[in-house]
């Protein structure tokens, strides 16, 4: 009954994104492995590539959003995104050197940045405002489960075709598949997506969106996080806002968030390469490990959103970040010890817990920004927040690649662990500041 209600109450055009999201999942999860295993790149090259892709997405995010508003049209940007992404995936599948992979990946990051933000804007313009919260929930839920489906299919594909064709051909064929399914999304877009009757050039934050603005992405997707920025909440006056309230709890929270996402990226950029090179995991097993975490996230986003809505979001972030410290410590210890088959079992189970913590971080962080922001400026605050963590992931990619290549994975993971521990302290201090100034500062309750 619930499934029937979900399908009947969800606009048909939401589902045109599913094939693209599957292809995007392959791109995100295979890129680092492809660079190292196919074109002979290093972990440093992985870090540089992810930073360049993220930087391209930051620029494109602003460009596509503003341009689509000015032209009063949405579909052309979706079409551009699908065609460009498909072409780039096809070119990567036949690339035989690092430069070609980097060039195609950067262009892909630039073009794919148009798809989700423009789709989100299209949702707001075609769905009544009273239904925004539920519709955004369904929109991101479809994306989450598309990732889960892709991870299952990708893992099976790698396991079967690596034996038949070899691991290199199996990876190349997945990029070909990513190109094909993106074109399927293009066809569905032409069939199902209609231009809105009126494009709204300005949008304000609605309390109904609390807990729904976070995009469900797996950790490897963080390297493309800037392309997930919801452009309609960005305002050009964000620097003025920061300067005017430089010591405010909100700005302190920005610092905590930047530190947290820097630590996350330092650990997770190197994570799949560590699994393959040190622990000897096959590509299909890496897909399986990521799948378990993504599955937990997909199930937990809505219940955690309801729970976080009624509780202190900063305190939630403090606790789950502390759990992250324990998880990253396990990664560090395993990197120091001699690898065994048991190591893969341990790291697989530890990684499952990151699904829970990531779901909490994704929801509670958005809630915290909205609650700490000055009334009427929530939209700008969320835009600043997404921009800051976008920059943090770019820096984290470079740092991760350098540390892993120069000092080894144990130092890389240990650095991420220490920074995560420092983030816990920062969140705790922010809690203390909020309690002391509760009479004059915005409440997180």
């Amino acid at each position: 009954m619930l499934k029937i209600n979900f399908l009947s109450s969800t606009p048909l055009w939401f589902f045109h994104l599913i094939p693209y999201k599957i292809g995007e999942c392959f791109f995100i999860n295979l890129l680092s492995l492809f660079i190292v295993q196919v074109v002979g790149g290093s972990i440093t090259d992985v870090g540089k590539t992810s930073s360049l892709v993220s930087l391209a997405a930051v620029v494109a995010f602003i460009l596509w959003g503003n341009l689509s508003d000015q032209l009063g049209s949405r579909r052309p940007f979706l079409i551009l995104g699908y065609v460009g992404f498909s072409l780039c995936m096809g070119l990567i599948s036949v690339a035989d050197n690092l430069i070609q992979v980097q060039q195609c990946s950067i262009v892909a990051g630039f073009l794919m940045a148009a798809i989700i933000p423009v789709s989100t804007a299209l949702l707001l313009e075609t769905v009544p405002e009273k239904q925004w919260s539920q519709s955004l929930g369904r929109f991101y839920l479809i994306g989450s489960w598309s990732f889960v489906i892709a991870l299952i299919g990708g893992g099976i594909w790698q396991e079967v075709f690596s034996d038949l064709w070899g691991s290199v051909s199996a990876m190349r064929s997945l990029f070909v598949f990513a190109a094909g399914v993106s074109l399927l999304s293009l066809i569905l877009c032409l069939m199902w997506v209609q231009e809105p009757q009126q494009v709204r050039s300005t949008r304000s934050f609605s309390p109904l969106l609390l807990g729904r603005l976070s995009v469900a992405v797996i950790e490897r997707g963080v390297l493309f996080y800037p392309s997930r920025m919801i452009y309609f909440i960005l305002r050009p006056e964000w620097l003025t806002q920061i300067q005017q309230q430089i010591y405010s709890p909100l700005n302190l929270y920005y610092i905590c968030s930047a530190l947290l996402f820097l630590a996350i990226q330092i650990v997770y950029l190197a994570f799949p390469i560590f699994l393959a090179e040190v622990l000897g995991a096959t590509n299909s097993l890496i897909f399986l490990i990521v799948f378990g975490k993504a599955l937990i996230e997909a199930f937990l986003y809505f219940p955690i959103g309801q729970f976080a809505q009624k509780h202190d979001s900063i305190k939630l972030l403090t606790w789950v970040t502390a759990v992250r410290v324990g998880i990253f410590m396990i990664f560090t210890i395993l990197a120091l010890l001699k690898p065994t088959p048991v190591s893969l079992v341990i790291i697989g189970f530890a990684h499952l817990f990151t699904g829970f913590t990531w779901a909490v971080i994704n929801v509670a962080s958005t809630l915290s920004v909205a609650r700490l922001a000055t009334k009427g400026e929530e939209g700008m605050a969320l835009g600043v927040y997404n921009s800051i963590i976008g920059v943090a992931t770019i820096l984290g990619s470079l740092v991760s690649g350098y540390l892993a290549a120069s000092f080894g994975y144990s130092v890389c993971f240990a650095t991420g662990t220490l920074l995560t521990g420092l983030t816990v302290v920062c969140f705790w201090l922010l809690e203390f500041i909020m309690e002391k100034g509760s009479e004059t500062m915005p409440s997180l309750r």
Side-chain angles (χ1 to χ4, degrees), residues 19-56:
Y20 160 74
K21 297 296 289 184
I22 291 173
E24 183 190 47
C25 177
F26 292 153
F27 178 40
I28 290 172
N29 286 282
L30 279 177
L31 182 59
S32 59
L33 297 172
F34 193 88
I35 288 173
V36 173
Q37 297 178 11
V38 179
V39 296
S42 65
I43 183 64
T44 304
D45 296 321
V46 173
K48 290 178 181 177
T49 303
S50 68
S51 293
L52 290 171
V53 172
S54 294
L55 183 60

Side-chain angles (χ1 to χ4, degrees), residues 123-169:
L123 181 155
L124 299 182
E125 290 158 345
T126 56
V127 173
E129 185 171 354
K130 292 182 178 180
Q131 299 176 19
W132 278 2
S133 181
Q134 292 180 346
S135 295
L136 281 167
R138 294 189 184 99
F139 183 75
Y140 294 136
L141 185 63
I142 289 172
S144 298
W145 281 105
S146 298
F147 262 70
V148 171
I149 292 170
L151 290 167
I152 296 174
I156 295 173
W157 186 289
Q158 287 287 305
E159 184 66 27
V160 173
F161 291 103
S162 290
D163 292 337
L164 295 176
W165 303 338
S167 61
V168 171
S169 295

Side-chain angles (χ1 to χ4, degrees), residues 324-345:
R324 278 283 171 122
V325 175
I327 295 170
F328 290 167
M329 284 182 65
I330 293 174
F331 292 180
T332 305
I333 293 170
L334 290 175
L336 288 168
L337 298 176
K338 182 179 179 180
T340 66
V342 177
S343 300
L344 274 173
V345 176

Side-chain angles (χ1 to χ4, degrees), residues 46-82:
V46 173
K48 290 178 181 177
T49 303
S50 68
S51 293
L52 290 171
V53 172
S54 294
L55 183 60
V58 168
V59 176
F61 149 71
I62 299 172
L63 172 66
W64 299 133
N66 290 337
L67 193 58
S68 64
D69 271 347
Q70 291 173 7
L71 296 179
S73 184
R74 303 300 181 198
R75 285 215 318 174
F77 296 94
L78 295 176
I79 293 170
L80 176 66
Y82 292 138

